[in-house]
Amino acid sequence: MKHIYRSNSCCGIHTTNQTILYRTLIGAPLELLYFGSRITDERTISALEGAASAPEAYPAFGGVYRRSPAFRVSKGSEQQHTSARLLFTGSEAADEQTLVLSLFDSYLQLEVSLIIEADYEYDMIGMYTRVTNCSDTSCIIDYMAAAFLPLSWKEGVLTNCTGSWAHEMHMNEQRLNPGIHITGERCGVRTTRFANPSIILSHGEHAVGEQTGICIGAAYAWSGNWAFLLDHDPDGTISLIAGDHPDTARRILTAGASYQMPHLYLTYSESGRGTVSRRFHRWAKQRMIPDAANPRSIVLNSWEAAYFDFDETLLLQMIDGAARIGIETFVLDDGWFGSDYPRDDDTQGLGDWQVQPAKLPRGLTPLIDRCRERGMTFGLWIEPEMVNPRSRLFEQHPEWILSAEHREASLERGQYVLDLSREEVLIWVIGTIEQILDQNPGIDYIKWDCNRDIKELSGGFAVYDRYVENYYRILEHLGERYPALVIQDCASGGGRVEYGALHRTHEFWASDNTDALQRIFIQWGTGMFYPPSVTAAHVGSETNHITGRHLPLAFRCSVAMSCRFGVELSPLALSGEDREFLCEAVSTYKGIRHLIVSGELYRLVSPYEQHHAAIMYVLPDRSEALLFVWELRFSVGSAYEQIRLAGLQEDRMYEVRELLAEHLEQHMMNPVRSGSEAMRLLTGEYLQRCGLAIAFRHEYDSRIFHFVMK
Ligand code: DGJ
């Protein structure tokens, strides 16, 4: 039990750089003694054990506790019992890195367990709770936190990411004045579109920097409703309360039943949010996202290239064109299915997963074969949770949609949500996907989309839980039955970017917005918690379809190359010069992608603060690094910048080479001055203290530099 500490009155758990400690007195409320940097000296622990008072670690509503509680219950025919008292009954080390702390309300006969898992090596703490109704009558759990963390902080700043469709993951900072602050979602599915269940909580009056400051990073792993409550007690405690959204948290717990909450993952840093991001990325790539330590393939997705308007001939030409560019996976997006109700726009056909004969008379096989012949893999778009009213499926099973009794079901994007909480729907979805995959051997990749929210349901909020559990069951089943299948988590772009879905998929589509300028902000926020190597970023067309902005191809490529690179335009629409540049970008990416996959992210210049932005990836042994710089708002007066690098070894020399440089020269729109540090040898010390000189040449200039230790 080397990571777990237990004495008569205290127990806790360590990771490489963190310790969490609780006061555990039988028959008393559990108290949080400490959460912070790793404690190595047992005398420090003894001193903490002797502390006169410490905040209650899982307070219930109805007792002396007067702030937002971790737990609320009601019981009795008129719910007359709303007061709970959870007292500590014992601890158990379930294994080398899992601590279970048990609390009990002896009147209500309710047991609540706090489970704390330490990932020692990756410096991550997982927390969740389980409640068991040990009585012989039902009760209602009105609210239950998956994690409750009362921090003895007088001041704090909340950093989180919010947005909307095509504008996801924009960063906000909010000083926590005394009172209750909430960020959350209750759309049932697609619940990360408006806000993401990941936050950075900074200690003090200001948000932490990239390399300095005390903070906690927390991410909730659940594809359903969620909320973080931050309750700032002016007496000097900020409680982080994570769990279901309070509006949808109510659950009936029958006699003998248990309910378990999802995980909150936490990491504590005294070196700013850069450390938080790097820890989350490392841990996610090794522990959470399947096969994420290996590179993803370069994708060409057909959506912005053709939308619903294609046939076999066009797709075969696109596959050939993609192969010539060096693309590794061709993905056929929406529009390939629906025979009685051809899917030629988004109003019909959803739910009828048979190939549309008018567009693809010979089925998918010629496309799959052509991909194989060209050395590429083949991917297919599906949206199995949804149905259009104009579809065979809806005609056969109108009762399968989620709706509220006595109310007309609402349409969104012309579709209904199938009630995945029902066993027969679950079985149908699994059968349908298996049929597509089994009848079309050679589908290596699926893009799993989900394009609306749950607006209404009957049967209580437990429907939300069963829906998400069944969604996970399907993904897990697919993972077992088709171990080589790559699944992209899409959900309108950015709608399911959280660790519950990512644990069961391989990469995600961060946003439908392919405008590279806006993507810099979207990817900036996304990268706070989620690894760029699984963040699909595609080069869109010169005039962006959503924003109408014109951006140089070099800029579009370099923004996409800083994540999981791909293309979202027709290779047939490219000019010869652009095709040549894209080929070069693809081949350059193949040579540097190991840095995106295994490198550690350093954010150097924020697009929120400057006219330019810069990030770096550095291999853990510091032998190689990659720098991306993007000019966002050009003015001649600020065309020259020294960008100070990070993560390098100061006493070693690095060979600096600019990538795509010759091609970039051709792509300069309004060259003011050209300047590059190409092929120079510089010390890590120089690069970090003095910085690399960058001369921006025009608006939306972009530069990529590769560093190799000599
Ligand atoms: C939303 C996705 O985010 C897009 O990439 C595309 O797949 C469309 N749905 C297709 O309907």
Side-chain angles (χ1 to χ4, degrees):
M1 300 302 162
K2 62 180 181 196
H3 310 318
I4 291 180
Y5 172 87
R6 285 207 295 167
S7 73
N8 286 343
S9 61
C10 168
C11 65
I13 204 158
H14 305 291
T15 66
T16 313
N17 289 297
Q18 307 172 77
T19 296
I20 187 161
L21 276 178
Y22 292 89
R23 178 151 39 213
T24 50
L25 293 170
I26 303 279
L30 184 73
E31 290 174 342
L32 181 69
L33 286 175
Y34 178 83
F35 177 47
S37 279
R38 170 75 195 258
I39 291 176
T40 47
D41 190 330
E42 290 217 358
R43 288 170 299 183
T44 312
I45 296 183
S46 306
L48 280 164
E49 281 184 77
S53 72
E56 190 169 344
Y58 203 78
F61 178 84
V64 289
Y65 190 75
R66 64 191 168 80
R67 308 294 309 175
S68 302
F71 191 77
R72 270 189 292 125
V73 61
S74 37
K75 186 160 178 151
S77 53
E78 286 169 23
Q79 294 169 26
Q80 66 270 41
H81 302 294
T82 52
S83 167
R85 195 79 183 121
L86 294 170
L87 303 177
F88 179 74
T89 53
S91 69
E92 183 201 342
D95 58 40
E96 270 213 346
Q97 44 192 27
T98 308
L99 186 63
V100 182
L101 303 172
S102 299
L103 312 176
F104 198 68
D105 182 311
S106 54
Y107 175 70
L108 296 172
Q109 292 286 297
L110 276 177
E111 185 185 58
V112 174
S113 304
L114 275 56
I115 299 114
I116 301 148
E117 298 168 346
D119 191 322
Y120 186 83
E121 192 183 346
Y122 289 95
D123 252 326
M124 195 58 67
I125 291 178
M127 283 186 176
Y128 63 98
T129 48
R130 187 187 310 122
V131 59
T132 304
N133 182 356
C134 307
S135 78
D136 49 17
T137 51
S138 302
C139 64
I140 292 169
I141 306 298
D142 293 303
Y143 179 80
M144 176 174 173
F148 186 94
L149 203 64
L151 302 160
S152 301
W153 290 5
K154 285 207 162 60
E155 300 284 352
V157 177
L158 168 68
T159 304
N160 69 336
C161 288
T162 58
S164 55
W165 176 75
H167 184 75
E168 299 82 1
M169 295 302 274
H170 281 63
M171 269 176 56
N172 307 293
E173 268 161 21
Q174 185 191 344
R175 185 153 164 206
L176 295 173
N177 293 321
I180 299 164
H181 309 260
I182 178 166
T183 172
E185 286 269 9
R186 50 176 172 70
C187 307
V189 287
R190 224 172 40 153
T191 65
T192 70
R193 228 159 37 108
F194 301 116
N196 194 269
S198 57
I199 58 166
I200 291 174
L201 194 56
S202 302
H203 183 211
E205 292 175 16
H206 304 285
V208 287
E210 285 296 330
Q211 305 200 36
T212 53
I214 293 177
C215 65
I216 291 168
Y220 192 52
W222 184 242
S223 306
N225 301 334
W226 61 273
F228 287 149
L229 269 88
L230 293 135
D231 192 338
H232 185 180
D233 183 337
D235 289 351
T237 310
I238 295 181
S239 298
L240 163 58
I241 310 166
D244 209 334
H245 194 288
D247 290 354
T248 58
R250 201 163 187 264
R251 291 182 179 87
I252 296 169
L253 203 63
T254 53
S258 286
Y259 182 74
Q260 186 168 301
M261 294 295 292
H263 277 69
L264 179 75
Y265 293 100
L266 288 168
T267 198
Y268 173 89
S269 156
E270 292 202 348
S271 47
R273 64 187 181 203
T275 297
V276 166
S277 301
R278 286 186 289 279
R279 282 202 199 139
F280 265 97
H281 295 171
R282 251 182 258 144
W283 161 83
K285 287 187 276 188
Q286 294 297 331
R287 305 282 208 232
M288 285 303 270
I289 305 174
D291 197 32
N294 288 316
R296 298 286 175 259
S297 61
I298 303 171
V299 166
L300 186 141
N301 185 51
S302 72
W303 182 238
E304 285 192 21
Y307 295 105
F308 296 101
D309 191 13
F310 55 80
D311 60 13
E312 183 188 299
T313 311
L314 181 76
L315 293 177
L316 290 175
Q317 286 170 354
M318 277 171 54
I319 292 170
D320 289 347
R324 280 196 293 275
I325 295 169
I327 298 292
E328 296 162 326
T329 301
F330 177 84
V331 178
L332 173 56
D333 208 287
D334 200 349
W336 59 268
F337 50 89
S339 36
D340 295 346
Y341 294 99
R343 179 76 171 171
D344 293 332
D345 57 33
D346 61 14
T347 61
Q348 63 176 25
L350 204 55
D352 299 349
W353 297 103
Q354 298 79 35
V355 178
Q356 192 190 124
K359 284 179 185 161
L360 300 168
R362 298 190 295 152
L364 298 171
T365 310
L367 309 176
I368 296 172
D369 289 349
R370 184 63 65 89
C371 283
R372 286 278 174 280
E373 284 157 29
R374 301 284 181 259
M376 291 159 60
T377 54
F378 178 79
L380 194 66
W381 179 94
I382 54 172
E383 192 181 2
E385 298 158 80
M386 305 283 161
V387 64
N388 281 134
R390 285 174 59 77
S391 66
R392 296 285 293 149
L393 179 69
F394 186 71
E395 283 169 1
Q396 284 157 8
H397 291 290
E399 78 286 5
W400 277 7
I401 63 164
L402 275 171
S403 61
E405 266 176 55
H406 311 302
R407 310 255 173 220
E408 197 183 330
S410 65
L411 280 169
E412 191 182 338
R413 206 199 188 206
Q415 63 198 52
Y416 297 124
V417 188
L418 291 175
D419 184 356
L420 200 55
S421 75
R422 295 164 67 147
E423 204 63 15
E424 64 271 38
V425 177
L426 168 82
I427 291 167
W428 176 84
V429 170
I430 291 178
T432 302
I433 301 174
E434 283 183 353
Q435 203 170 25
I436 297 171
L437 295 175
D438 294 345
Q439 286 179 356
N440 299 284
I443 298 177
D444 310 282
Y445 176 113
I446 55 175
K447 172 175 176 177
W448 183 306
D449 210 343
C450 172
N451 284 304
R452 66 158 288 178
D453 303 334
I454 296 178
K455 296 261 165 77
E456 55 264 308
L457 48 75
S458 301
F461 299 141
V463 170
Y464 287 118
D465 299 332
R466 283 201 306 274
Y467 188 110
V468 178
E469 283 156 14
N470 283 346
Y471 164 60
Y472 289 167
R473 275 168 71 188
I474 300 169
L475 293 175
E476 284 159 15
H477 172 81
L478 293 177
E480 278 157 31
R481 189 155 166 193
Y482 308 95
L485 183 73
V486 174
I487 304 178
Q488 186 190 75
D489 159 21
C490 173
S492 308
R496 263 179 180 158
V497 183
E498 42 71 34
Y499 279 113
L502 289 179
H503 188 39
R504 296 155 175 97
T505 54
H506 300 81
E507 61 170 37
F508 61 94
W509 181 227
S511 175
D512 270 359
N513 193 341
T514 50
D515 176 324
L517 181 65
Q518 300 204 337
R519 268 285 180 146
I520 289 175
F521 291 88
I522 293 169
Q523 290 169 194
W524 192 268
T526 305
M528 284 289 152
F529 285 88
Y530 306 101
S533 56
V534 295
T535 306
H538 293 182
V539 179
S541 51
E542 187 181 349
T543 305
N544 190 266
H545 292 189
I546 289 178
T547 64
R549 197 189 318 272
H550 297 267
L551 289 168
L553 182 58
F555 186 84
R556 284 179 274 144
C557 282
S558 101
V559 172
M561 286 167 76
S562 69
C563 289
R564 196 289 269 132
F565 188 44
V567 175
E568 193 85 15
L569 49 73
S570 171
L572 311 174
L574 290 167
S575 68
E577 197 188 319
D578 281 359
R579 186 172 312 110
E580 203 189 311
F581 184 83
L582 197 51
C583 272
E584 192 59 31
V586 168
S587 112
T588 302
Y589 186 75
K590 288 177 184 167
I592 55 164
R593 123 173 97 183
H594 63 286
L595 279 142
I596 314 281
V597 174
S598 311
E600 315 231 291
L601 174 69
Y602 290 84
R603 289 176 292 260
L604 305 178
V605 183
S606 166
Y608 288 91
E609 290 162 12
Q610 293 287 340
H611 61 90
H612 60 290
I615 59 167
M616 271 186 89
Y617 294 97
V618 184
L619 286 187
D621 67 1
R622 300 167 186 226
S623 61
E624 250 184 286
L626 200 58
L627 167 69
F628 290 91
V629 187
W630 302 291
E631 173 70 322
L632 315 179
R633 287 178 305 281
F634 182 72
S635 79
V636 176
S638 58
Y640 182 80
E641 292 290 341
Q642 289 284 130
I643 307 241
R644 291 175 62 183
L645 310 194
L648 301 176
Q649 194 165 319
E650 295 220 321
D651 60 355
R652 296 295 297 266
M653 299 292 282
Y654 287 87
E655 184 183 272
V656 187
R657 176 196 290 271
E658 182 163 6
L659 303 179
L660 288 171
E662 296 127 49
H663 287 267
L664 276 174
E665 297 292 326
Q666 295 162 16
H667 273 258
M668 282 160 50
M669 281 159 55
N670 176 22
V672 173
R673 65 199 274 198
S674 131
S676 91
E677 300 272 356
M679 287 306 288
R680 287 184 59 187
L681 267 180
L682 294 166
T683 59
E685 187 176 54
Y686 176 90
L687 290 165
Q688 300 200 150
R689 299 192 186 189
C690 308
L692 189 73
I694 307 280
F696 293 113
R697 302 162 292 196
H698 53 80
E699 186 120 303
Y700 310 132
D701 195 2
S702 56
R703 315 290 286 274
I704 309 174
F705 294 90
H706 185 207
F707 304 82
V708 179
M709 188 192 270
K710 289 291 158 193

